Amino acid sequence: EVQLVESGGGLVQPGGSLRLSCGASGFTFSNYWMIWVRQAPGKGLEWVSNIRQDGSQKYYVDSVKGRFTISRDNAKNSLYLQMNSLRAEDTAVYYCVRDPDYSDSSGYYDAFDMWGQGTMVTVSS
Amino acid sequence: AIQMTQSPSSLSASVGDRVTITCRASQGIRNELGWYQQKPGKAPKLLIYAASTLQSGVPSRFSGSGSGTDFTLTISSLQPEDFATYYCLQDYNYPRTFGQGTKLEIK
């Protein structure tokens, strides 16, 4: 079955750390950019970070730079998000997302065509 | 970061209605925009990418248009399963940014 399955969420105190994992199956993981998107309770979607197929390029939203690190292991078909110095405002459902990075003569386009079910991260004392 | 502003924030409509949602970028983003649908408690679903390209499997009643700073998502004839929240997302530069969402409700 083609799917993404996140794990590693939970309750953590402010200033603490958590590592999210995302396992991919049913497709060639190494062919895709991968992304983390989060959604705070009752709020909209926020793009967090992405990583190129070979791990050579990584980008972050400003609010997590220096605290979060995205990585991947193509041999294990897995995506990770190491989250340090967590804050209350990091509380959210975190989604693992696949991006085939479509292209045409004009350029490349994000197209988040597969999402995991999400894992909840709660930062609270 | 590029700001994406959707309008309206919420919308009431009836089955069979034609509905248009607008997304405005704070600077030009060519056609580098996608539209996503999210139902309560579920992960978002890709509808359109590159402003107007329909994702495989998405019904043809959904369409997208626009370039530069102004974009629209149109649902030509609302079906019961279309009541959801819709988000635009710019992929012109980093960080990627979503609009705040448009909640489409049943009238």
Side-chain angles (χ1 to χ4, degrees):
Chain A
E1 183 183 0
V2 181
Q3 63 178 356
L4 296 167
V5 179
E6 302 95 336
S7 59
L11 174 64
V12 61
Q13 291 189 338
S17 297
L18 214 52
R19 189 195 196 207
L20 304 183
S21 299
C22 172
S25 58
F27 63 96
T28 306
F29 179 72
S30 59
N31 285 352
Y32 295 84
W33 280 79
M34 295 298 297
I35 302 96
W36 289 100
V37 172
R38 68 184 178 184
Q39 186 168 36
K43 303 297 185 182
L45 302 170
E46 181 180 36
W47 180 94
V48 174
S49 179
N50 71 351
I51 184 168
R52 188 181 168 140
Q53 291 91 331
D54 61 1
S56 62
Q57 294 180 36
K58 306 174 185 181
Y59 298 91
Y60 301 91
V61 68
D62 285 352
S63 60
V64 309
K65 279 181 184 175
R67 301 189 299 123
F68 290 12
T69 302
I70 191 171
S71 62
R72 65 191 297 164
D73 185 335
N74 288 341
K76 294 184 177 180
N77 294 327
S78 293
L79 175 71
Y80 306 101
L81 187 67
Q82 178 66 43
M83 304 186 295
N84 298 331
S85 302
L86 281 160
R87 306 167 180 168
E89 54 265 36
D90 296 318
T91 295
V93 173
Y94 284 73
Y95 293 102
C96 168
V97 185
R98 182 183 85 168
D99 177 13
D101 198 26
Y102 293 131
S103 65
D104 63 14
S105 56
S106 299
Y108 292 87
Y109 305 98
D110 288 358
F112 299 171
D113 71 341
M114 182 184 298
W115 298 62
Q117 85 287 353
T119 188
M120 184 70 204
V121 172
T122 303
V123 184
S124 174
S125 55
Chain B
I2 297 175
Q3 266 197 305
M4 305 301 295
T5 303
Q6 289 181 230
S7 60
S9 295
S10 63
L11 174 61
S12 294
S14 301
V15 172
D17 284 355
R18 179 183 180 89
V19 165
T20 297
I21 297 169
T22 297
C23 183
R24 175 163 288 175
S26 59
Q27 68 180 75
I29 60 170
R30 303 199 304 178
N31 67 333
E32 296 179 48
L33 181 115
W35 288 98
Y36 295 82
Q37 176 195 66
Q38 187 180 31
K39 296 181 180 178
K42 300 293 187 182
K45 172 187 173 183
L46 173 66
L47 299 175
I48 286 167
Y49 63 94
S52 60
T53 303
L54 197 66
Q55 170 68 355
S56 176
V58 174
S60 59
R61 63 181 180 273
F62 290 92
S63 64
S65 65
S67 183
T69 60
D70 294 315
F71 301 85
T72 59
L73 172 70
T74 300
I75 310 172
S76 60
S77 178
L78 272 175
Q79 299 301 300
E81 60 268 29
D82 299 338
F83 291 94
T85 300
Y86 293 84
Y87 295 92
C88 60
L89 169 69
Q90 68 81 16
D91 59 285
Y92 179 76
N93 68 5
Y94 289 105
R96 306 306 198 218
T97 43
F98 285 93
Q100 82 279 13
T102 295
K103 187 173 184 179
L104 180 53
E105 299 175 305
I106 301 172
K107 185 183 287 185

